Amino acid sequence: MMTIEMLRGFLGWSTLINLGFVCYWFFFIMFAHDWMYRLHNRWFTLSVERFDSIHYAGMALYKMGILMFNLVPYLALLIIS
């Protein structure tokens, strides 16, 4: 049986892990951009601008998902307990 404290802990750790993944993604794009572009360009024909916009949009959607599905429920459980 899952308690509110367990769920709150799960959501808190899930938020931190997901934010760590976004930071890793961001730093990988910043410091290994050319290598990642060449790697992806083997499979898909993309311009550099298109590649950047896809990753920027992907990071934005992922961050919104973290906020909606992890952080907001965590804060709501924190407020009610």
Side-chain angles (χ1 to χ4, degrees):
M1 189 76 160
M2 184 173 277
T3 63
I4 290 178
E5 290 79 23
M6 289 174 62
L7 184 58
R8 191 174 59 220
F10 171 78
L11 289 171
W13 280 109
S14 180
T15 301
L16 289 177
I17 291 168
N18 280 304
L19 287 175
F21 181 71
V22 168
C23 289
Y24 175 77
W25 187 0
F26 171 76
F27 287 120
F28 213 78
I29 289 291
M30 288 299 296
F31 297 114
H33 180 272
D34 294 336
W35 176 78
M36 284 188 63
Y37 174 71
R38 284 192 311 270
L39 179 69
H40 285 92
N41 206 27
R42 290 181 190 170
W43 302 313
F44 311 105
T45 305
L46 299 169
S47 66
V48 175
E49 294 81 15
R50 181 78 174 149
F51 175 78
D52 290 342
S53 66
I54 288 170
H55 279 279
Y56 182 74
M59 282 190 267
L61 288 172
Y62 196 80
K63 285 189 290 186
M64 290 301 295
I66 294 169
L67 290 174
M68 287 188 309
F69 299 119
N70 292 101
L71 187 59
V72 170
Y74 172 78
L75 293 174
L77 288 175
L78 194 64
I79 289 169
I80 66 168
S81 62

